[in-house]
């Protein structure tokens, strides 16, 4: 049988009016033109979104959840209206019903959709379709976007199911449209964020037992989030309208949360895409850029808080502590990168003198990753130092904690601890790599174990020693960053001068020991693409024809 | 077979090590446009590993592989545009019919509009799946699924096809149909690398074969070339009109003959040598005055060659 390709879309639905009628009517022609338009529009949709939407429509999971949501809405409507009773005629009860409906909506949005996203990617691996997908010309980001798009499509259907109920809450009064829109937006982004987390978790490992562990933890987290979502959406349903007051500081909080949300979302998105990207591709630079943007956004918000709080040193302290923890966590992953740079990555390395000076820290590699963290930490410490000095100069209310001295110790010694621990970890991993292949997970574990040893061993010795047990702080604890920094901020400034010499001194030594590795990575220079690649590139993207520049020029 | 200067597939000193297992050990060969290249070896020999490296699903520990001149390590995206890989598993989705399945992969390969519809139509015609267009994939027979997978592999019209055990589990009719499809694809100028355990079929469709064992390439060439390089004994039979016992005595005296058996007028024996020596032997029998009415020699099949070359070791 010869297959009629041109009628493929129509053939997929033999009952369509265009094929069932002998002489197509005006309605059938209209239907055909709509279908053609949709088919053309569908060409530009993400293939995974198209496929998963087709699958979802036919799946029993989707049907059952959809019917359950509808049924629950009906039951809730009847039950709440019955509970309200005659008050419904004179009392504004929209908020009560809205809170009830949002609790129902939270189940598919917070539990079903993120779990489906997680399962969707895991099932691709279990059913052996992931290999088939990864050898297509779909890019990893398209795969992740397709999965997210599928989550959004599912959310849209659940939103549409509950929409008549939301209209009903508005008619009952007590809740305004902006509040409804705010709550729905909040639920949407919450669900989308959790779906992104689900997708990221699905890329982490191929080992079945680890996948089971992750799934259990993820489900537990989703249940917790579900309860949180019920509580928060209920709160917003009742008191959301208070946000609209012109002096509401809540908007600053929402804007700060939105900044944190979108930058973290981008980080998770690029991390998930990186996890499924072929190893020769550059997976590091987009993540480093995300980290820079996230840190810059955090600095921006904290600067705002610092100004709003009369240039108080607490804001500088919070910025330094949180950003330090952030860069340590990111550093454990950046130092876990593979030390080899593929030919493919080398073709796109910065070429110019200035490019090599400023952009080489974005190149993949554990050495450049380490230096990237050190550079960011240093810039952050300088910034905090400036803020701290400004706090002393600018008019401010009387502040007692932390003092200038305490904060300066925190900045210097905190910087030293992070640089030293990450650097020692990098040296250990570099040595291990001479004998065996060290995975990213193993490197991260080594970094954390190192920190744990630095904190745990002195603690264990102190606990077991009769002399030291009751002592406040001794230099035995110098490897313990938590206790040392706490001690300095808690009246232990007397030990500061010694610690300032030792900790940053050790950090500088470790930094110097790592310099050969960093220099080795920086000496990798850009390489020209092979002739075959250049030829293919020219065929794929031919250069535009040269247009005449003046009336005397010959046309090309 | 179109022997161009640049091979469509090239493996260059390929190595793949998993922990302590050297799955692929210094494997090098080339496949040209229009050539069907059989890749044979016992289970665990390293066939699938090398095919997965070619398909950009795995990375070599050392060496490189090229598809149409592009490295699988450095240019996997360009390789993917030119390559169709059919693994030894189906990889199907639930709640998807045949058309939707092909449509998805056509979209995934960046085909849009009429180009996509035409590609699906051509694949449907080629694989004779037109009648199954709206059937759910999970309801297809194994043979139909295999056709569908071949269709998926060629949906973007790749110049290189890598087929890992495509005939496994198929009934004889489906195998013949698959063989015909592969012949047609090779005639259309595609370079095909195919692995199979059904050596008789592979011998029929392959222009050249490579034998791999324990990750090492033992032989590369046409079946005849490899056979000629393999010192095995051939089997021959002679039927004479009369004096069969005398012929048996005559043959027994020869040093190049062994395993002599006489069954009525039919004498069977094994001998060392090639086709030329068989012709000489026949002439000598006739010149000796024996009335030969039938002479047959069983030549070394791919199975014989395979069994001789490999030692059945598994890593």
């Amino acid at each position: 049988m010869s297959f009629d390709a041109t009628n493929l879309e129509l053939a997929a639905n033999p009952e369509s009016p265009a094929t069932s009628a002998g002489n197509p009517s005006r309605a059938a022609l209209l239907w055909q033109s709509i279908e053609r338009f949709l088919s053309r529009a569908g060409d530009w949709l993400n293939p995974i979104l198209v496929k998963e939407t087709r699958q979802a429509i036919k799946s029993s999971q989707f049907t059952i959840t959809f019917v359950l949501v509808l049924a629950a809405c009906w039951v809730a409507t009847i039950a709440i209206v019955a509970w309200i009773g005659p008050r419904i005629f004179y009392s504004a009860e929209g908020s009560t019903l809205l809170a009830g409906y949002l609790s129902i909506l939270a189940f598919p949005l917070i539990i079903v959709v993120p779990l489906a996203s997680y399962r969707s990617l895991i099932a691709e691996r279990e059913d052996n379709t992931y290999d088939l997908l990864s050898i297509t010309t779909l890019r990893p980001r398209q795969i992740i976007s397709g999965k997210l798009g599928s989550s959004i499509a599912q959310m849209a259907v659940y939103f549409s199911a509950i929409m008549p109920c939301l209209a009903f809450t508005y008619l009952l009064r007590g809740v305004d449209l902006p509040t409804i829109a705010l709550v729905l937006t909040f639920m949407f982004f919450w669900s989308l964020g959790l779906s992104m987390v689900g997708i990221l978790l699905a890329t982490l490992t191929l080992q079945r037992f680890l996948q089971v562990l992750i799934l259990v933890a993820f489900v537990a987290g989703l249940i917790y989030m579900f309860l949180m979502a019920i509580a928060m959406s209920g709160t917003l349903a009742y008191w959301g309208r208070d946000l609209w007051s012109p002096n509401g500081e809540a908007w600053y909080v929402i804007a700060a949360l939105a900044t944190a949300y979108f930058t973290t979302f981008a980080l998770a998105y690029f991390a998930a895409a990186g996890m499924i990207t072929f190893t020769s591709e550059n997976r590091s630079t987009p993540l480093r850029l995300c980290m820079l943007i996230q840190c810059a956004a955090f600095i921006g918000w904290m600067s705002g808080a610092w100004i709003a709080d009369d240039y108080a040193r607490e804001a500088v302290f919070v910025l330094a502590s949180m950003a330090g923890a952030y860069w340590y966590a990111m550093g454990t992953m950046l130092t876990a990168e593979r030390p080899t740079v593929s030919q493919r990555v080398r073709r796109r390395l910065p070429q110019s003198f200035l490019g090599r000076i400023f952009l080489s820290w974005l190149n993949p590699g554990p050495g450049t990753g380490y230096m990237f963290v050190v550079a960011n930490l240093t810039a952050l410490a300088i910034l905090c130092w400036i803020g701290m000095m400004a706090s002393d100069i600018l008019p401010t209310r009387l502040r007692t904690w932390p003092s200038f001295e305490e904060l300066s110790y925190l900045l210097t010694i905190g910087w030293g601890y992070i640089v030293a621990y990450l650097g020692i970890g990098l040296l250990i991993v570099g040595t291990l790599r001479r004998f065996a292949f060290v995975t990213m997970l193993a490197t991260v574990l080594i970094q954390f174990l190192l920190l744990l040893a630095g904190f745990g061993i002195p603690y264990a010795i102190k606990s077991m020693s009769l002399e030291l047990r009751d002592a406040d702080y001794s230099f035995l604890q110098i490897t313990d960053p938590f206790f040392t920094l706490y001690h300095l901020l808690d009246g232990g400034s007397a030990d500061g001068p010694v610690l300032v010499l030792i900790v940053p001194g050790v950090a500088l030594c470790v930094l110097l020991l790592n310099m050969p590795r960093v220099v080795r990575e920086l000496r990798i220079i850009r390489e020209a693409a092979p002739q075959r690649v250049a030829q293919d590139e020219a065929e794929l993207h031919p250069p535009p024809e040269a247009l005449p520049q003046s009336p005397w020029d010959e046309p090309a | 077979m179109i022997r161009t200067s640049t091979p469509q597939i090239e493996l260059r000193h390929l190595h793949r090590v998993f922990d302590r297992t050297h799955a692929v050990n210094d494997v090098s060969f080339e496949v040209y446009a229009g050539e069907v290249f059989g890749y044979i070896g016992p289970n665990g020999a390293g066939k699938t590993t090398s095919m997965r490296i070619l398909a950009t699903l795995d990375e070599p520990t050392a060496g490189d592989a090229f598809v149409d001149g592009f490295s699988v390590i450095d240019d996997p995206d360009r390789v993917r545009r030119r390559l169709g890989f059919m693994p030894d598993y189906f990889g199907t989705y639930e709640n998807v019919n045949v058309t939707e399945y092909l449509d998805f992969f056509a979209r995934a390969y960046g085909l849009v509009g009429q180009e996509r519809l035409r590609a699906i139509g051509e694949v449907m015609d080629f694989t004779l799946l037109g009648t199954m267009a709206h059937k759910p994939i999970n309801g297809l027979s194994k043979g139909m699924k295999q056709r569908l997978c071949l269709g998926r592999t060629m949906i973007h019209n790749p110049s290189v096809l890598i087929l890992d055990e495509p005939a496994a589990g198929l009934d004889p009719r489906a195998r013949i149909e698959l063989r015909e499809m592969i012949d047609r694809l090779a005639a259309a100028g595609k370079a095909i690398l195919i692995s199979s355990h059904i050596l008789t079929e592979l011998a029929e469709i392959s222009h050249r074969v490579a034998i791999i064992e324990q990750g090492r390439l033992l032989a590369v060439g046409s079946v005849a070339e490899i056979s000629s390089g393999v010192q095995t004994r051939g089997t021959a039979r002679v039927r004479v009109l009369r004096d069969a016992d005398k012929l048996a005595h005559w043959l027994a005296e020869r040093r190049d003959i062994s395993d002599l058996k006489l069954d009525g007028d039919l004498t069977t024996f094994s001998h060392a040598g090639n086709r030329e020596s068989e012709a000489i032997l026949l002439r000598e029998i006739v010149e000796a005055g024996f009335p030969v009415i039938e002479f047959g020699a069983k030549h070394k099949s791919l199975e014989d060659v395979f069994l001789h070359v490999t030692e059945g070791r598994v890593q």
Side-chain angles (χ1 to χ4, degrees):
Chain A
M1 178 194 159
S2 179
F3 189 81
D4 185 4
T6 52
N7 288 324
L8 180 72
E9 300 298 325
L10 297 178
N13 179 13
E15 297 304 316
S16 83
T19 52
S20 58
N23 284 323
S25 63
R26 184 175 287 181
L29 286 171
L30 179 71
W31 182 249
Q32 269 187 357
S33 62
I34 291 171
E35 210 164 44
R36 271 198 297 272
F37 169 76
L38 290 175
S39 175
R40 273 201 301 275
D43 278 343
W44 305 108
L45 288 176
N46 187 306
I48 293 177
L49 172 63
V50 175
K51 188 260 300 174
E52 297 215 343
T53 307
R54 280 175 173 160
Q55 280 182 287
I57 289 166
K58 295 180 197 171
S59 77
S60 51
Q61 174 246 313
F62 174 76
T63 314
I64 291 168
T65 315
F66 187 75
V67 169
L68 276 177
V69 168
L70 277 181
C73 285
W74 275 102
V75 171
T77 307
I78 294 164
I80 296 173
V81 168
W83 176 67
I84 293 170
R87 273 188 294 134
I88 203 163
F89 296 107
Y90 51 85
S91 169
E93 294 291 347
S95 301
T96 312
L97 264 145
L98 181 62
Y101 292 138
L102 290 175
S103 302
I104 293 166
L105 187 63
F107 178 72
L109 255 55
I110 305 298
I111 292 189
V112 177
V113 173
L115 204 55
S117 301
Y118 173 81
R119 278 295 310 156
S120 168
L121 199 52
I122 290 284
E124 296 268 13
R125 293 185 191 272
E126 284 173 356
D127 299 341
N128 291 321
T129 50
Y130 185 73
D131 281 354
L132 306 178
L133 201 62
S134 58
I135 57 168
T136 65
T137 50
L138 279 178
R139 293 186 174 277
R141 285 181 207 169
Q142 281 180 288
I143 296 175
I144 302 296
S145 302
K147 298 284 176 196
L148 283 173
S150 168
S151 301
I152 292 172
Q154 286 183 56
M155 277 187 250
V157 175
Y158 293 126
F159 275 126
S160 67
I162 210 161
M163 211 48 86
C165 304
L166 297 179
F168 180 54
T169 61
Y170 178 67
L171 294 175
L172 286 180
R173 291 171 289 117
V175 61
D176 51 4
L177 280 177
T179 303
I180 294 174
L182 177 77
V183 177
L184 291 183
T185 310
F186 162 77
M187 294 286 274
F188 170 81
F189 282 112
W190 197 327
S191 178
L192 188 67
L194 289 174
S195 298
M196 186 66 252
V197 171
I199 291 169
L200 177 62
L201 291 177
T203 63
L204 290 185
T205 181
L206 292 175
Q207 290 179 322
R208 191 59 67 93
F209 77 98
L210 282 176
Q211 283 177 350
V212 172
L213 280 179
I214 289 172
L215 178 64
V216 171
F218 187 48
V219 170
L222 288 179
I223 292 169
Y224 176 72
M225 288 289 164
F226 171 61
L227 298 174
M228 287 274 289
I230 290 175
M232 289 193 75
S233 55
T235 309
L236 281 175
Y238 281 107
W239 292 286
R241 65 165 69 183
D242 296 346
L243 291 171
W244 305 109
S245 66
N247 298 324
E249 284 186 359
W251 284 106
Y252 291 110
V253 177
I254 289 174
L257 286 175
T259 313
Y261 176 90
F262 287 114
T263 50
T264 310
F265 188 91
L267 198 64
Y269 176 86
F270 285 111
M275 291 298 289
I276 60 169
T277 299
F278 198 64
T279 44
S280 67
E281 189 63 86
N282 181 359
R283 300 180 281 186
S284 183
T285 305
L287 282 169
R288 291 190 194 185
L289 286 171
C290 273
M291 288 171 199
L292 269 182
I293 293 167
Q294 189 163 37
C295 191
F298 180 60
I299 290 169
W301 277 107
M302 286 312 296
S303 303
W306 177 67
I307 294 164
D309 203 19
D310 286 346
Y311 315 108
R313 278 195 293 267
E314 281 101 325
V316 180
F317 168 75
V318 172
L319 170 65
S321 312
M322 290 185 72
Y326 175 82
W327 281 115
Y328 173 75
M330 295 299 143
T332 58
M333 285 178 269
L334 290 173
T335 51
E337 287 181 5
R338 288 185 1 157
T340 49
V341 179
S342 71
Q343 299 286 325
R344 183 179 176 79
V345 174
R346 288 179 193 204
R347 288 180 210 156
R348 294 171 193 168
L349 291 180
Q351 197 174 13
S352 66
F353 179 70
L354 284 177
R356 290 197 68 195
I357 287 177
F358 290 109
L359 302 176
S360 288
W361 312 113
L362 298 172
N363 294 352
T368 59
Y370 176 61
M371 279 309 292
F372 179 72
V373 173
V374 172
N376 275 290
L377 277 173
T378 310
L380 197 77
I382 293 169
L383 195 74
C384 288
W385 205 280
I386 293 167
M388 195 171 70
M389 289 168 82
S391 293
D392 267 22
I393 299 163
L394 293 166
T396 180
R397 295 195 299 272
L398 184 65
R399 304 280 173 183
T400 53
W401 186 90
S403 68
F404 186 92
E405 192 184 23
E406 285 169 342
L407 199 52
S408 58
Y409 285 145
L410 175 85
L411 288 175
T412 323
I413 296 167
W415 176 91
Y417 273 123
I418 297 171
V419 172
Y421 269 104
L422 288 176
I424 293 167
L426 185 59
L427 287 171
I428 293 170
V429 173
T431 312
L432 286 176
R433 276 193 171 131
R434 290 182 188 171
F435 308 105
F437 177 73
V438 185
T439 63
M440 186 173 213
L441 185 66
T443 310
V444 173
L445 276 176
I446 287 168
Q447 290 280 17
F448 279 121
L449 285 175
L450 192 66
L451 183 65
L452 195 68
F455 143 82
I457 293 171
Y459 179 77
I461 294 170
K462 185 173 181 279
S463 304
M464 286 185 284
S465 162
L466 289 173
E467 290 172 12
L468 296 171
R469 188 179 292 167
D470 300 322
D472 181 31
Y473 180 84
S474 73
F475 282 104
L476 181 73
Q477 271 91 37
I478 199 163
T479 57
D480 181 348
F482 307 108
F483 193 19
T484 305
L485 293 175
Y486 173 77
H487 169 68
L488 285 170
L489 290 166
D490 194 37
S493 303
D495 293 327
V498 181
L499 288 168
V500 154
L501 280 177
I502 296 173
V503 178
V506 170
L508 285 171
C509 291
V510 172
L511 186 64
L512 282 174
L513 283 172
N514 275 298
M515 282 318 280
R517 176 191 316 279
V518 177
V519 171
R520 211 163 39 239
E521 286 179 23
L522 287 178
R523 286 177 72 181
I524 298 171
I525 54 166
R526 188 184 181 120
E527 285 185 9
Q531 196 184 352
R532 184 75 184 94
V533 175
Q535 184 191 343
D536 187 55
E537 196 59 34
E539 282 170 19
L540 278 175
H541 308 290
E545 285 185 11
L547 294 171
Q549 298 294 310
S550 72
W552 296 276
D553 281 353
E554 288 291 327
Chain B
M1 183 177 75
I2 308 157
R3 180 62 73 101
T4 51
S5 57
T6 41
Q8 288 291 298
I9 300 173
E10 187 186 358
L11 270 69
R12 213 181 276 171
H13 301 294
L14 202 69
H15 290 260
R16 182 68 173 103
V17 180
F18 297 107
D19 296 328
R20 289 175 188 174
T21 309
H22 212 135
V24 179
N25 190 351
D26 198 23
V27 170
S28 300
F29 62 78
E30 296 170 348
V31 185
Y32 292 85
E35 185 178 23
V36 179
F37 191 92
Y39 200 31
I40 57 177
N43 288 332
K47 301 186 299 288
T48 301
T49 305
S50 9
M51 286 180 151
R52 282 178 65 82
I53 289 171
L54 267 172
T56 74
L57 288 170
D58 198 1
E59 204 182 3
T61 312
D64 204 346
F66 298 85
V67 170
D68 196 13
F70 296 107
S71 159
V72 295
I73 305 170
D74 296 322
D75 294 291
D77 44 351
R78 288 173 213 275
V79 168
R80 285 167 192 165
R81 280 208 303 273
R82 289 160 171 82
L83 180 127
F85 176 53
M86 182 173 167
D88 56 352
Y89 46 81
F90 292 122
T92 53
Y93 290 106
E94 281 194 10
N95 301 317
V96 168
N97 66 31
V98 170
T99 312
E100 288 167 347
Y101 186 74
L102 291 174
D103 181 66
F104 167 62
F105 281 99
R107 285 172 191 270
Y109 277 105
L111 304 179
V112 292
Q114 288 301 314
E115 190 188 7
R116 191 182 81 242
L117 301 181
R118 191 172 50 247
I120 296 170
E122 281 171 7
V123 163
M124 289 274 199
D125 284 345
F126 185 83
T127 53
L128 305 174
L129 282 167
T131 50
M132 309 271 173
H134 309 298
K135 205 166 178 180
I137 296 173
N138 290 339
L140 295 179
S141 67
K142 199 165 186 178
M144 287 295 160
K145 274 188 186 169
Q146 204 73 329
R147 279 190 200 184
L148 179 64
C149 290
L150 183 64
R152 181 204 64 223
T153 307
M154 45 184 279
I155 191 83
H156 58 301
N157 192 21
S159 55
V160 171
L161 289 171
I162 296 173
L163 314 176
D164 192 5
E165 303 284 353
L170 296 187
D171 62 39
R173 178 178 289 277
R175 267 189 224 163
I176 291 165
E177 285 169 356
L178 184 74
R179 203 170 65 204
E180 285 171 359
M181 286 181 203
I182 291 168
D183 278 341
R184 276 154 55 198
L185 288 168
K190 299 195 186 301
I192 301 171
L193 177 66
I194 179 171
S195 78
S196 177
H197 285 307
I198 304 158
L199 301 184
T200 46
E201 286 197 354
L202 206 57
E204 280 180 42
I205 57 170
S206 301
H207 297 104
R208 289 192 302 145
V209 294
I211 301 175
I212 184 172
E213 189 179 40
Q214 284 194 309
R216 282 184 179 279
L217 209 59
L218 303 179
V220 184
S222 66
V223 176
E225 282 168 359
I226 298 175
S227 304
S228 63
V230 172
Q231 292 298 311
T232 56
R233 296 180 71 81
T235 310
R237 64 177 192 282
V238 186
R239 195 185 294 276
V240 285
L241 206 57
R242 58 185 173 274
D243 300 336
D245 51 343
K246 282 185 183 172
L247 173 66
H249 280 293
W250 186 86
L251 287 169
E253 285 170 9
R254 290 179 66 99
R255 299 177 92 184
D256 56 340
I257 301 290
S258 62
D259 303 328
L260 198 73
K261 278 183 196 164
L262 179 64
D263 183 12
D265 57 351
L266 182 71
T267 312
T268 56
F269 56 88
S270 69
H271 70 100
N274 53 20
R275 286 181 157 201
E276 208 169 307
S277 63
E278 281 166 10
I280 293 167
L281 178 65
L282 174 61
R283 196 180 67 218
E284 286 176 0
I285 294 170
V286 173
E287 283 173 358
F290 293 105
V292 179
I293 54 170
E294 186 186 325
F295 183 89
K298 185 173 175 281
H299 297 121
K300 281 163 279 188
S301 65
L302 183 57
E303 279 175 350
D304 296 329
V305 172
F306 176 75
L307 288 172
H308 190 268
V309 169
T310 63
E311 294 172 18
R313 290 174 301 204
V314 179
Q315 293 190 85

